[in-house]
């Protein structure tokens, strides 16, 4: 076998360069032992698919971190991160991979995607975006005018006027034909009013005021007031109260005081106040006194409604009756005073117009307070009307609300102005 001289590990001569021979440090023949320095065998290198491996089959004995004299490019060591690669590509390859793998496309990661910076994307002012999304009409474009809202009375005026006229005919006919018939009309109205009031108390508050003694005692109270004047009215009131106390004893004692108190209140509020209308009827000009009382009360309510509906802006008692206004109260006073002057001058014997002014003022005030009083009761009960017997008006109690407290005021002033005869 010929002797082949060993090539130096590093460096070379000009002759070697001219021949183009490259000595990589491996054996020339397969049966030769590899030559290495330092007495340690070379360690196999892991395969890196990203770098070309021209001498992958031969173990390298020289330091590949420095360029050799034979033009071999510098190769990175296993698990050595090339300096020119970005930081996010530092993915070490497993040493167990000894053969090339199919090419895998790099997957995008959150930090690989460049994020927009404020100076890269032009910002649009919020006001400009809002204007472009919700364009407003030009100032010169005509805008449709809103439809005017028509005021509503809250009730069926046709039915209310018809029922009112019917009641007026019945009252006037009974008043001027036979006085006793009108007393019967008062008694019937009292009984129906007591039934509506006690029914609403039981439905809304579970207050069981005894209706039977109230109805009998109320009718008797009206008749006693017409027959025996004020003395008979007070006696009938006392007997009715005693009957309510005894009647309630037939039931369990739970709620006794509550039910009896409600019964006494109902007896005073409805039949006792209505008795003053019967007492006005006992005078020689009794029908005209009752007619004056009715006219002034109705005119007061009508004036309050008309003026308040047309000019009302300031609430009188919004927590009690939101529909009443101060302007309506002034209208009630003006209408009632004008009607009172005319009635006292032409209907009442020995009456004077100035007395009618005072009477009209008092009637307007008492009618308004009576209406507010029943409105307070209905607010406490949580209802709008006491009943549905009269279309357009509600119940009987909804028509008696201003008449009942006005009756004693009108009776007292008429007696003071012209006497009781």
């Amino acid at each position: 076998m010929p002797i082949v001289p060993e090539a130096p590990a590093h460096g070379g001569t000009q002759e070697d360069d001219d021949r183009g021979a490259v000595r990589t440090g491996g054996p020339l023949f397969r049966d030769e032992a590899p030559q290495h320095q330092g007495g340690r065998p070379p360690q196999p290198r892991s395969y890196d698919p990203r770098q070309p491996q021209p001498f992958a089959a031969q173990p390298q004995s020289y330091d590949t971190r420095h360029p050799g004299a034979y033009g071999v490019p510098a190769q990175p060591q296993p698990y050595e991160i090339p300096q020119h690669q970005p930081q996010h590509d530092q993915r070490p390859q497993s040493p167990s991979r000894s053969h090339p793998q199919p090419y895998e496309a790099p997957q995008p990661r959150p930090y690989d995607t460049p994020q927009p910076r404020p100076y890269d994307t032009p910002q649009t002012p919020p006001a400009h975006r809002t204007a472009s999304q919700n364009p407003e009409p030009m100032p010169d474009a005509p805008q449709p005018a809103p439809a005017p809202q028509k005021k509503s009375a809250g009730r069926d005026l046709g039915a209310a006027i018809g029922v009112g006229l019917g009641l007026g005919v019945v009252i006037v006919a009974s008043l001027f034909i036979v006085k006793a018939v009108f007393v019967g009309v008062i008694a019937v109205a009292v009984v129906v009013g007591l039934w509506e009031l006690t029914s609403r108390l039981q439905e809304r508050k579970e207050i069981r005021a005894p209706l039977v003694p109230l109805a009998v005692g109320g009718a008797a109270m009206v008749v006693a007031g017409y027959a025996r004047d004020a003395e008979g009215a007070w006696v009938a009131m006392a007997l009715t109260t005693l009957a309510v106390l005894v009647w309630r004893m037939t039931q369990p004692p739970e709620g006794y005081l509550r039910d009896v108190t409600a019964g006494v209140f109902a007896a005073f509020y409805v039949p006792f106040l209505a008795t003053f209308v019967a007492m006005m009827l006992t005078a020689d000009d009794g029908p005209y006194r009752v007619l004056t009382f009715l006219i002034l009360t109705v005119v007061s309510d009508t004036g309050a409604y008309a003026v308040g509906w047309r000019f009302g802006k300031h609430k009188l008692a919004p927590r009690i009756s939101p529909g009443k206004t101060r302007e309506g109260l002034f209208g009630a006073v003006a209408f009632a005073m004008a009607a009172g002057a005319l009635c006292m001058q032409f209907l009442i014997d020995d009456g004077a117009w100035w007395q009618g002014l005072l009477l009209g003022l008092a009637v307007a005030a008492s009618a308004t307070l009576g209406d507010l009083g029943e409105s307070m009761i209905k607010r406490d009960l949580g209802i709008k009307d006491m009943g549905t017997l009269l279309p357009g008006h509600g119940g009987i109690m909804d028509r008696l609300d201003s008449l009942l407290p006005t009756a004693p005021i009108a009776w007292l002033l008429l007696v003071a102005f012209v006497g009781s005869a």
Side-chain angles (χ1 to χ4, degrees):
M1 176 179 295
I3 299 175
V4 180
E6 294 181 357
H10 299 282
T13 61
Q14 184 65 29
E15 182 179 358
D16 295 333
D17 295 338
D18 294 339
R19 295 177 182 176
V22 178
R23 180 66 173 175
T24 60
L28 297 179
F29 301 97
R30 293 182 179 179
D31 55 352
E32 275 188 20
Q35 301 294 331
H36 54 84
Q37 297 179 358
R40 292 181 302 173
Q43 301 295 330
R45 297 179 56 202
S46 298
Y47 175 73
D48 188 356
R50 295 176 300 174
Q51 302 294 336
Q53 302 292 333
F55 305 101
Q58 303 294 334
Q60 303 294 331
S61 60
Y62 58 89
D63 190 0
T64 57
R65 290 176 296 180
H66 301 281
Y70 301 99
V72 180
Q75 300 296 334
Q77 292 295 325
Y79 305 103
E80 183 174 350
I81 302 175
Q83 299 299 326
H84 65 279
Q85 294 184 357
Q87 190 70 16
H88 57 266
D89 287 332
Q90 298 178 7
R91 293 177 293 181
Q93 301 296 330
S94 174
S96 62
R97 299 175 63 179
S98 59
H99 57 82
Q101 298 294 329
Y103 173 75
E104 297 179 0
Q107 300 296 329
R109 286 169 292 180
Y111 48 81
D112 292 340
T113 305
Q115 301 295 330
R117 290 173 291 182
Y119 52 81
D120 293 335
T121 304
Q123 300 294 330
T124 305
H128 177 70
R129 290 198 300 266
T130 304
S132 61
Q133 295 176 0
N134 300 320
E136 297 182 357
M138 298 298 294
D140 297 337
Q143 299 295 332
Q149 296 181 357
K150 185 178 180 180
K151 291 185 177 181
S152 175
R155 296 183 183 272
D156 188 354
L157 289 181
I161 294 174
V163 172
L165 291 177
L167 291 176
V169 171
V170 172
I171 291 173
V172 172
S174 61
L175 184 61
F176 286 95
I177 295 175
V178 180
K179 292 183 180 180
V181 176
F182 183 73
V183 174
V185 172
I186 299 174
V188 171
V190 164
V191 172
V192 175
L194 286 171
W195 170 71
E196 292 179 348
L197 180 58
T198 55
S199 299
R200 301 295 88 77
L201 289 175
Q202 184 174 356
E203 291 174 1
R204 309 299 297 185
K205 297 292 186 179
E206 298 183 356
I207 299 176
R208 296 173 175 82
L211 178 60
V212 174
L214 286 174
V216 175
M221 207 179 302
V222 173
V223 175
Y226 176 74
R228 304 289 299 190
D229 207 56
E231 182 181 354
W234 280 111
V235 172
M237 176 65 188
L239 293 175
T240 302
T241 302
L242 182 60
V244 169
L245 295 174
V246 174
W247 189 281
R248 181 57 181 80
M249 291 180 183
T250 60
Q251 299 176 4
E254 289 78 14
Y256 176 81
L257 182 60
R258 177 194 62 189
D259 297 343
V260 166
T261 303
V264 174
F265 164 74
F268 176 83
Y269 181 51
V270 182
F272 182 77
L273 294 181
T275 304
F276 288 91
V277 181
M279 289 192 295
M280 277 190 285
L281 191 60
T282 59
D284 296 337
D285 57 350
Y288 292 100
R289 296 191 183 192
V290 174
L291 182 61
T292 299
F293 153 71
L294 295 175
I295 289 177
L296 294 184
T297 306
V298 173
V299 168
S300 173
D301 291 344
T302 304
Y305 169 77
V307 176
W309 178 78
R310 182 64 180 85
F311 304 102
K313 295 182 179 179
H314 303 85
K315 301 296 183 181
L316 178 63
R319 298 182 59 183
I320 302 175
S321 181
K324 288 182 173 50
T325 60
R326 300 175 185 176
E327 293 80 3
L329 176 60
F330 294 151
V333 171
F335 277 61
M337 291 180 68
L342 294 176
C343 291
M344 288 295 294
Q345 185 68 32
F346 298 103
L347 296 180
I348 306 299
D349 297 339
D350 301 330
W353 64 268
W354 62 268
Q355 296 172 344
L357 294 177
L358 298 178
L359 180 63
L361 177 61
V363 167
S366 62
T368 302
L369 291 176
D371 198 355
L372 291 176
E374 193 188 4
S375 296
M376 181 71 82
I377 297 174
K378 291 189 288 187
R379 294 295 177 273
D380 187 21
L381 297 177
I383 58 178
K384 181 181 180 181
D385 295 324
M386 283 290 186
T388 58
L389 187 61
L390 303 177
H393 294 271
I396 291 293
M397 285 300 300
D398 296 305
R399 293 299 88 202
L400 297 179
D401 54 358
S402 55
L403 291 172
L404 291 175
T406 304
I409 301 297
W411 175 82
L412 180 62
L413 290 178
L414 288 173
V415 170
F417 289 152
V418 296
S420 59

